[in-house]
Amino acid sequence: MATLLTTTQQALGRDLLTQFPQLEGFVPGEGSLEPKLVMVSEAPGAVEARVGHPFQGPAGTILDQWLTQLGLIRDEIYLTGAVRSRPYQLGPTGLKRDRKPTPAEIAASAPLLDAELSQLVNRLLVPLGNTGLQRLLGPKVKISAVHGRLLTQPIRRWSSDHQRFEWTEEAYCIWPLYHPSYSRRFKKIRPIVATDLAELKAYLDSSD
């Protein structure tokens, strides 16, 4: 699997582990360099942080099932995320638990995703869940409101000069989906996901 991140960019990503002590591991984006779609997730989990590849745990099994429904394999897509290291917190027994990344962690990781997406302007973006979606479209957008339909608009890119997110001049095609982990935990949304995937497949087939 190839990555769009340079060696220098990957080194900068690993440097964030020093800046944010409750991040662990580093998982670069990977997949096709000419993908049929780009999936933007939240952050790695424990398994991904250990092996260094995205979607290797239970959510990865569900993702592979979704790709089968879309008539795709991993070699035909690009997998990336808002944050590249596993955000964790210590539970009452001292064991590490996954948590959502903080706004500061997302902002610090933003140049990595920006570097990838700047090379994929004409590709369909598929944010998975609220964190991936809001990284692209801002905190007011909810996955429950926009899942399963095509959006065409600018996305947010980090400005190092102004130290804030700003909108791109380019418009991207975006098709939000629920996160595989959410589908795994909440069976009630699985019929909704099935419909969203069927409509996405129809869109992909019509675009060929």
mmCIF file of all heavy atoms in Angstrom, residues 35-75:
data_model
loop_
_atom_site.group_PDB
_atom_site.id
_atom_site.type_symbol
_atom_site.label_atom_id
_atom_site.label_comp_id
_atom_site.label_asym_id
_atom_site.label_seq_id
_atom_site.Cartn_x
_atom_site.Cartn_y
_atom_site.Cartn_z
ATOM 1 N N PRO A 35 -7.148 6.937 -6.365
ATOM 2 C CA PRO A 35 -8.264 6.178 -5.789
ATOM 3 C C PRO A 35 -9.615 6.547 -6.392
ATOM 4 O O PRO A 35 -9.824 7.656 -6.866
ATOM 5 C CB PRO A 35 -8.217 6.579 -4.312
ATOM 6 C CG PRO A 35 -7.659 7.971 -4.325
ATOM 7 C CD PRO A 35 -6.659 7.985 -5.448
ATOM 8 N N LYS A 36 -10.524 5.583 -6.319
ATOM 9 C CA LYS A 36 -11.904 5.851 -6.741
ATOM 10 C C LYS A 36 -12.649 6.651 -5.687
ATOM 11 O O LYS A 36 -13.615 7.331 -5.998
ATOM 12 C CB LYS A 36 -12.611 4.534 -7.044
ATOM 13 C CG LYS A 36 -12.006 3.811 -8.241
ATOM 14 C CD LYS A 36 -12.791 2.580 -8.621
ATOM 15 C CE LYS A 36 -12.202 1.939 -9.871
ATOM 16 N NZ LYS A 36 -12.935 0.711 -10.279
ATOM 17 N N LEU A 37 -12.200 6.556 -4.450
ATOM 18 C CA LEU A 37 -12.729 7.405 -3.387
ATOM 19 C C LEU A 37 -11.715 7.478 -2.259
ATOM 20 O O LEU A 37 -10.818 6.643 -2.154
ATOM 21 C CB LEU A 37 -14.091 6.920 -2.898
ATOM 22 C CG LEU A 37 -14.261 5.483 -2.411
ATOM 23 C CD1 LEU A 37 -13.831 5.322 -0.974
ATOM 24 C CD2 LEU A 37 -15.707 5.040 -2.576
ATOM 25 N N VAL A 38 -11.860 8.507 -1.421
ATOM 26 C CA VAL A 38 -10.950 8.754 -0.299
ATOM 27 C C VAL A 38 -11.780 8.742 0.988
ATOM 28 O O VAL A 38 -12.666 9.585 1.154
ATOM 29 C CB VAL A 38 -10.234 10.106 -0.437
ATOM 30 C CG1 VAL A 38 -9.268 10.324 0.733
ATOM 31 C CG2 VAL A 38 -9.511 10.193 -1.767
ATOM 32 N N MET A 39 -11.512 7.795 1.870
ATOM 33 C CA MET A 39 -12.251 7.714 3.125
ATOM 34 C C MET A 39 -11.478 8.431 4.228
ATOM 35 O O MET A 39 -10.286 8.162 4.444
ATOM 36 C CB MET A 39 -12.496 6.256 3.498
ATOM 37 C CG MET A 39 -13.508 5.578 2.599
ATOM 38 S SD MET A 39 -13.931 3.900 3.110
ATOM 39 C CE MET A 39 -15.512 3.694 2.259
ATOM 40 N N VAL A 40 -12.161 9.362 4.901
ATOM 41 C CA VAL A 40 -11.549 10.172 5.954
ATOM 42 C C VAL A 40 -12.207 9.805 7.276
ATOM 43 O O VAL A 40 -13.371 10.128 7.515
ATOM 44 C CB VAL A 40 -11.728 11.680 5.676
ATOM 45 C CG1 VAL A 40 -11.041 12.505 6.766
ATOM 46 C CG2 VAL A 40 -11.180 12.039 4.294
ATOM 47 N N SER A 41 -11.456 9.135 8.122
ATOM 48 C CA SER A 41 -11.992 8.650 9.388
ATOM 49 C C SER A 41 -11.575 9.567 10.540
ATOM 50 O O SER A 41 -11.089 10.675 10.323
ATOM 51 C CB SER A 41 -11.525 7.217 9.624
ATOM 52 O OG SER A 41 -12.168 6.645 10.735
ATOM 53 N N GLU A 42 -11.765 9.081 11.767
ATOM 54 C CA GLU A 42 -11.470 9.877 12.958
ATOM 55 C C GLU A 42 -10.008 9.769 13.362
ATOM 56 O O GLU A 42 -9.245 10.731 13.281
ATOM 57 C CB GLU A 42 -12.367 9.416 14.111
ATOM 58 C CG GLU A 42 -12.104 10.132 15.429
ATOM 59 C CD GLU A 42 -13.081 9.681 16.512
ATOM 60 O OE1 GLU A 42 -14.237 10.127 16.463
ATOM 61 O OE2 GLU A 42 -12.681 8.905 17.392
ATOM 62 N N ALA A 43 -9.603 8.579 13.799
ATOM 63 C CA ALA A 43 -8.255 8.344 14.313
ATOM 64 C C ALA A 43 -8.049 6.841 14.450
ATOM 65 O O ALA A 43 -9.024 6.083 14.504
ATOM 66 C CB ALA A 43 -8.077 9.021 15.679
ATOM 67 N N PRO A 44 -6.815 6.388 14.532
ATOM 68 C CA PRO A 44 -6.577 4.957 14.723
ATOM 69 C C PRO A 44 -7.052 4.477 16.095
ATOM 70 O O PRO A 44 -7.128 5.253 17.050
ATOM 71 C CB PRO A 44 -5.049 4.844 14.623
ATOM 72 C CG PRO A 44 -4.585 6.114 14.009
ATOM 73 C CD PRO A 44 -5.577 7.155 14.392
ATOM 74 N N GLY A 45 -7.344 3.195 16.184
ATOM 75 C CA GLY A 45 -7.592 2.548 17.467
ATOM 76 C C GLY A 45 -6.356 1.807 17.930
ATOM 77 O O GLY A 45 -5.260 1.964 17.368
ATOM 78 N N ALA A 46 -6.520 0.958 18.922
ATOM 79 C CA ALA A 46 -5.381 0.259 19.518
ATOM 80 C C ALA A 46 -4.674 -0.650 18.515
ATOM 81 O O ALA A 46 -3.439 -0.678 18.443
ATOM 82 C CB ALA A 46 -5.845 -0.538 20.732
ATOM 83 N N VAL A 47 -5.450 -1.409 17.747
ATOM 84 C CA VAL A 47 -4.841 -2.343 16.789
ATOM 85 C C VAL A 47 -4.091 -1.575 15.715
ATOM 86 O O VAL A 47 -2.943 -1.906 15.369
ATOM 87 C CB VAL A 47 -5.917 -3.258 16.167
ATOM 88 C CG1 VAL A 47 -5.284 -4.176 15.123
ATOM 89 C CG2 VAL A 47 -6.624 -4.071 17.243
ATOM 90 N N GLU A 48 -4.715 -0.554 15.174
ATOM 91 C CA GLU A 48 -4.074 0.242 14.117
ATOM 92 C C GLU A 48 -2.793 0.905 14.611
ATOM 93 O O GLU A 48 -1.787 0.946 13.893
ATOM 94 C CB GLU A 48 -5.055 1.305 13.607
ATOM 95 C CG GLU A 48 -6.236 0.756 12.834
ATOM 96 C CD GLU A 48 -7.383 0.261 13.714
ATOM 97 O OE1 GLU A 48 -7.297 0.417 14.951
ATOM 98 O OE2 GLU A 48 -8.357 -0.275 13.181
ATOM 99 N N ALA A 49 -2.823 1.436 15.831
ATOM 100 C CA ALA A 49 -1.630 2.082 16.383
ATOM 101 C C ALA A 49 -0.485 1.083 16.542
ATOM 102 O O ALA A 49 0.685 1.445 16.394
ATOM 103 C CB ALA A 49 -1.960 2.726 17.725
ATOM 104 N N ARG A 50 -0.840 -0.149 16.828
ATOM 105 C CA ARG A 50 0.198 -1.171 17.028
ATOM 106 C C ARG A 50 0.814 -1.624 15.709
ATOM 107 O O ARG A 50 2.039 -1.793 15.604
ATOM 108 C CB ARG A 50 -0.385 -2.375 17.767
ATOM 109 C CG ARG A 50 0.670 -3.435 18.120
ATOM 110 C CD ARG A 50 0.103 -4.535 18.984
ATOM 111 N NE ARG A 50 -0.842 -5.390 18.249
ATOM 112 C CZ ARG A 50 -2.147 -5.412 18.452
ATOM 113 N NH1 ARG A 50 -2.693 -4.633 19.372
ATOM 114 N NH2 ARG A 50 -2.929 -6.212 17.751
ATOM 115 N N VAL A 51 -0.019 -1.811 14.674
ATOM 116 C CA VAL A 51 0.498 -2.369 13.414
ATOM 117 C C VAL A 51 0.858 -1.300 12.391
ATOM 118 O O VAL A 51 1.550 -1.586 11.411
ATOM 119 C CB VAL A 51 -0.509 -3.368 12.807
ATOM 120 C CG1 VAL A 51 -0.798 -4.488 13.792
ATOM 121 C CG2 VAL A 51 -1.803 -2.682 12.377
ATOM 122 N N GLY A 52 0.359 -0.058 12.589
ATOM 123 C CA GLY A 52 0.739 1.038 11.706
ATOM 124 C C GLY A 52 -0.029 1.127 10.404
ATOM 125 O O GLY A 52 0.426 1.775 9.455
ATOM 126 N N HIS A 53 -1.219 0.504 10.348
ATOM 127 C CA HIS A 53 -2.055 0.557 9.153
ATOM 128 C C HIS A 53 -3.498 0.856 9.550
ATOM 129 O O HIS A 53 -3.953 0.423 10.617
ATOM 130 C CB HIS A 53 -1.989 -0.763 8.384
ATOM 131 C CG HIS A 53 -0.626 -1.110 7.884
ATOM 132 N ND1 HIS A 53 -0.056 -0.500 6.792
ATOM 133 C CD2 HIS A 53 0.292 -1.996 8.349
ATOM 134 C CE1 HIS A 53 1.151 -0.997 6.587
ATOM 135 N NE2 HIS A 53 1.393 -1.901 7.517
ATOM 136 N N PRO A 54 -4.244 1.577 8.712
ATOM 137 C CA PRO A 54 -5.615 1.948 9.076
ATOM 138 C C PRO A 54 -6.607 0.793 8.970
ATOM 139 O O PRO A 54 -6.435 -0.112 8.157
ATOM 140 C CB PRO A 54 -5.959 3.050 8.067
ATOM 141 C CG PRO A 54 -5.087 2.771 6.889
ATOM 142 C CD PRO A 54 -3.821 2.185 7.443
ATOM 143 N N PHE A 55 -7.618 0.829 9.810
ATOM 144 C CA PHE A 55 -8.748 -0.103 9.779
ATOM 145 C C PHE A 55 -8.285 -1.571 9.779
ATOM 146 O O PHE A 55 -8.557 -2.325 8.858
ATOM 147 C CB PHE A 55 -9.643 0.188 8.574
ATOM 148 C CG PHE A 55 -10.573 1.341 8.801
ATOM 149 C CD1 PHE A 55 -10.253 2.602 8.312
ATOM 150 C CD2 PHE A 55 -11.744 1.182 9.507
ATOM 151 C CE1 PHE A 55 -11.099 3.680 8.532
ATOM 152 C CE2 PHE A 55 -12.602 2.260 9.738
ATOM 153 C CZ PHE A 55 -12.278 3.511 9.253
ATOM 154 N N GLN A 56 -7.623 -1.944 10.871
ATOM 155 C CA GLN A 56 -7.156 -3.316 11.038
ATOM 156 C C GLN A 56 -7.952 -4.082 12.090
ATOM 157 O O GLN A 56 -7.838 -5.301 12.179
ATOM 158 C CB GLN A 56 -5.673 -3.311 11.432
ATOM 159 C CG GLN A 56 -4.764 -2.702 10.405
ATOM 160 C CD GLN A 56 -4.775 -3.459 9.102
ATOM 161 O OE1 GLN A 56 -4.533 -4.661 9.067
ATOM 162 N NE2 GLN A 56 -5.069 -2.766 8.009
ATOM 163 N N GLY A 57 -8.727 -3.399 12.913
ATOM 164 C CA GLY A 57 -9.491 -4.052 13.965
ATOM 165 C C GLY A 57 -10.883 -4.437 13.501
ATOM 166 O O GLY A 57 -11.139 -4.581 12.301
ATOM 167 N N PRO A 58 -11.825 -4.586 14.446
ATOM 168 C CA PRO A 58 -13.201 -4.959 14.084
ATOM 169 C C PRO A 58 -13.846 -3.994 13.091
ATOM 170 O O PRO A 58 -14.595 -4.424 12.207
ATOM 171 C CB PRO A 58 -13.929 -4.941 15.437
ATOM 172 C CG PRO A 58 -12.854 -5.197 16.449
ATOM 173 C CD PRO A 58 -11.625 -4.540 15.914
ATOM 174 N N ALA A 59 -13.566 -2.695 13.231
ATOM 175 C CA ALA A 59 -14.128 -1.742 12.274
ATOM 176 C C ALA A 59 -13.602 -1.994 10.865
ATOM 177 O O ALA A 59 -14.305 -1.748 9.876
ATOM 178 C CB ALA A 59 -13.817 -0.309 12.705
ATOM 179 N N GLY A 60 -12.375 -2.501 10.782
ATOM 180 C CA GLY A 60 -11.809 -2.816 9.476
ATOM 181 C C GLY A 60 -12.535 -3.958 8.793
ATOM 182 O O GLY A 60 -12.687 -3.963 7.560
ATOM 183 N N THR A 61 -12.979 -4.928 9.578
ATOM 184 C CA THR A 61 -13.751 -6.032 9.012
ATOM 185 C C THR A 61 -15.047 -5.517 8.406
ATOM 186 O O THR A 61 -15.448 -5.919 7.306
ATOM 187 C CB THR A 61 -14.056 -7.069 10.100
ATOM 188 O OG1 THR A 61 -12.824 -7.572 10.638
ATOM 189 C CG2 THR A 61 -14.870 -8.228 9.544
ATOM 190 N N ILE A 62 -15.713 -4.605 9.132
ATOM 191 C CA ILE A 62 -16.956 -4.020 8.615
ATOM 192 C C ILE A 62 -16.667 -3.187 7.376
ATOM 193 O O ILE A 62 -17.400 -3.247 6.382
ATOM 194 C CB ILE A 62 -17.632 -3.178 9.698
ATOM 195 C CG1 ILE A 62 -18.070 -4.073 10.861
ATOM 196 C CG2 ILE A 62 -18.827 -2.410 9.131
ATOM 197 C CD1 ILE A 62 -18.590 -3.314 12.054
ATOM 198 N N LEU A 63 -15.587 -2.406 7.411
ATOM 199 C CA LEU A 63 -15.236 -1.592 6.251
ATOM 200 C C LEU A 63 -15.024 -2.456 5.011
ATOM 201 O O LEU A 63 -15.491 -2.121 3.917
ATOM 202 C CB LEU A 63 -13.980 -0.779 6.537
ATOM 203 C CG LEU A 63 -13.506 0.103 5.379
ATOM 204 C CD1 LEU A 63 -14.482 1.241 5.139
ATOM 205 C CD2 LEU A 63 -12.110 0.642 5.621
ATOM 206 N N ASP A 64 -14.342 -3.583 5.167
ATOM 207 C CA ASP A 64 -14.119 -4.468 4.026
ATOM 208 C C ASP A 64 -15.441 -5.003 3.482
ATOM 209 O O ASP A 64 -15.604 -5.166 2.266
ATOM 210 C CB ASP A 64 -13.197 -5.618 4.426
ATOM 211 C CG ASP A 64 -11.759 -5.175 4.631
ATOM 212 O OD1 ASP A 64 -11.359 -4.150 4.042
ATOM 213 O OD2 ASP A 64 -11.030 -5.838 5.385
ATOM 214 N N GLN A 65 -16.398 -5.271 4.371
ATOM 215 C CA GLN A 65 -17.726 -5.700 3.921
ATOM 216 C C GLN A 65 -18.402 -4.590 3.132
ATOM 217 O O GLN A 65 -19.049 -4.857 2.106
ATOM 218 C CB GLN A 65 -18.570 -6.111 5.122
ATOM 219 C CG GLN A 65 -18.059 -7.347 5.853
ATOM 220 C CD GLN A 65 -18.764 -7.583 7.183
ATOM 221 O OE1 GLN A 65 -19.581 -6.774 7.639
ATOM 222 N NE2 GLN A 65 -18.446 -8.696 7.827
ATOM 223 N N TRP A 66 -18.269 -3.359 3.602
ATOM 224 C CA TRP A 66 -18.846 -2.225 2.882
ATOM 225 C C TRP A 66 -18.218 -2.079 1.499
ATOM 226 O O TRP A 66 -18.914 -1.833 0.512
ATOM 227 C CB TRP A 66 -18.646 -0.943 3.681
ATOM 228 C CG TRP A 66 -19.447 -0.852 4.942
ATOM 229 C CD1 TRP A 66 -20.231 -1.821 5.498
ATOM 230 C CD2 TRP A 66 -19.556 0.290 5.795
ATOM 231 N NE1 TRP A 66 -20.814 -1.366 6.659
ATOM 232 C CE2 TRP A 66 -20.418 -0.070 6.866
ATOM 233 C CE3 TRP A 66 -19.011 1.559 5.783
ATOM 234 C CZ2 TRP A 66 -20.737 0.812 7.900
ATOM 235 C CZ3 TRP A 66 -19.325 2.445 6.816
ATOM 236 C CH2 TRP A 66 -20.181 2.075 7.858
ATOM 237 N N LEU A 67 -16.896 -2.228 1.435
ATOM 238 C CA LEU A 67 -16.218 -2.106 0.145
ATOM 239 C C LEU A 67 -16.701 -3.186 -0.818
ATOM 240 O O LEU A 67 -16.883 -2.922 -2.019
ATOM 241 C CB LEU A 67 -14.704 -2.194 0.331
ATOM 242 C CG LEU A 67 -14.050 -1.019 1.061
ATOM 243 C CD1 LEU A 67 -12.559 -1.277 1.248
ATOM 244 C CD2 LEU A 67 -14.278 0.288 0.325
ATOM 245 N N THR A 68 -16.928 -4.381 -0.313
ATOM 246 C CA THR A 68 -17.461 -5.447 -1.159
ATOM 247 C C THR A 68 -18.813 -5.053 -1.731
ATOM 248 O O THR A 68 -19.098 -5.267 -2.920
ATOM 249 C CB THR A 68 -17.580 -6.751 -0.353
ATOM 250 O OG1 THR A 68 -16.278 -7.165 0.080
ATOM 251 C CG2 THR A 68 -18.193 -7.864 -1.204
ATOM 252 N N GLN A 69 -19.654 -4.443 -0.899
ATOM 253 C CA GLN A 69 -20.962 -3.988 -1.380
ATOM 254 C C GLN A 69 -20.819 -2.912 -2.447
ATOM 255 O O GLN A 69 -21.682 -2.771 -3.321
ATOM 256 C CB GLN A 69 -21.791 -3.468 -0.206
ATOM 257 C CG GLN A 69 -22.192 -4.550 0.788
ATOM 258 C CD GLN A 69 -22.948 -3.973 1.973
ATOM 259 O OE1 GLN A 69 -23.968 -3.330 1.812
ATOM 260 N NE2 GLN A 69 -22.430 -4.210 3.173
ATOM 261 N N LEU A 70 -19.742 -2.126 -2.364
ATOM 262 C CA LEU A 70 -19.490 -1.071 -3.350
ATOM 263 C C LEU A 70 -18.766 -1.594 -4.586
ATOM 264 O O LEU A 70 -18.543 -0.841 -5.540
ATOM 265 C CB LEU A 70 -18.658 0.052 -2.718
ATOM 266 C CG LEU A 70 -19.330 0.847 -1.603
ATOM 267 C CD1 LEU A 70 -18.327 1.791 -0.943
ATOM 268 C CD2 LEU A 70 -20.532 1.629 -2.124
ATOM 269 N N GLY A 71 -18.378 -2.879 -4.569
ATOM 270 C CA GLY A 71 -17.637 -3.440 -5.677
ATOM 271 C C GLY A 71 -16.192 -2.978 -5.729
ATOM 272 O O GLY A 71 -15.581 -2.925 -6.790
ATOM 273 N N LEU A 72 -15.632 -2.664 -4.538
ATOM 274 C CA LEU A 72 -14.269 -2.143 -4.444
ATOM 275 C C LEU A 72 -13.428 -3.005 -3.519
ATOM 276 O O LEU A 72 -13.946 -3.798 -2.716
ATOM 277 C CB LEU A 72 -14.287 -0.705 -3.904
ATOM 278 C CG LEU A 72 -15.023 0.340 -4.738
ATOM 279 C CD1 LEU A 72 -15.103 1.656 -3.964
ATOM 280 C CD2 LEU A 72 -14.339 0.551 -6.075
ATOM 281 N N ILE A 73 -12.121 -2.843 -3.615
ATOM 282 C CA ILE A 73 -11.175 -3.421 -2.665
ATOM 283 C C ILE A 73 -10.283 -2.294 -2.150
ATOM 284 O O ILE A 73 -10.265 -1.189 -2.703
ATOM 285 C CB ILE A 73 -10.320 -4.539 -3.296
ATOM 286 C CG1 ILE A 73 -9.535 -4.006 -4.497
ATOM 287 C CG2 ILE A 73 -11.199 -5.726 -3.694
ATOM 288 C CD1 ILE A 73 -8.571 -5.014 -5.098
ATOM 289 N N ARG A 74 -9.537 -2.572 -1.099
ATOM 290 C CA ARG A 74 -8.707 -1.517 -0.490
ATOM 291 C C ARG A 74 -7.697 -0.921 -1.463
ATOM 292 O O ARG A 74 -7.354 0.248 -1.364
ATOM 293 C CB ARG A 74 -7.990 -2.055 0.749
ATOM 294 C CG ARG A 74 -8.913 -2.329 1.919
ATOM 295 C CD ARG A 74 -8.133 -2.397 3.205
ATOM 296 N NE ARG A 74 -8.975 -2.778 4.338
ATOM 297 C CZ ARG A 74 -8.714 -2.464 5.595
ATOM 298 N NH1 ARG A 74 -7.619 -1.769 5.888
ATOM 299 N NH2 ARG A 74 -9.513 -2.845 6.568
ATOM 300 N N ASP A 75 -7.200 -1.743 -2.395
ATOM 301 C CA ASP A 75 -6.210 -1.251 -3.347
ATOM 302 C C ASP A 75 -6.767 -0.182 -4.281
ATOM 303 O O ASP A 75 -6.006 0.478 -4.992
ATOM 304 C CB ASP A 75 -5.670 -2.405 -4.195
ATOM 305 C CG ASP A 75 -4.720 -3.299 -3.412
ATOM 306 O OD1 ASP A 75 -4.289 -2.885 -2.311
ATOM 307 O OD2 ASP A 75 -4.408 -4.401 -3.897
#
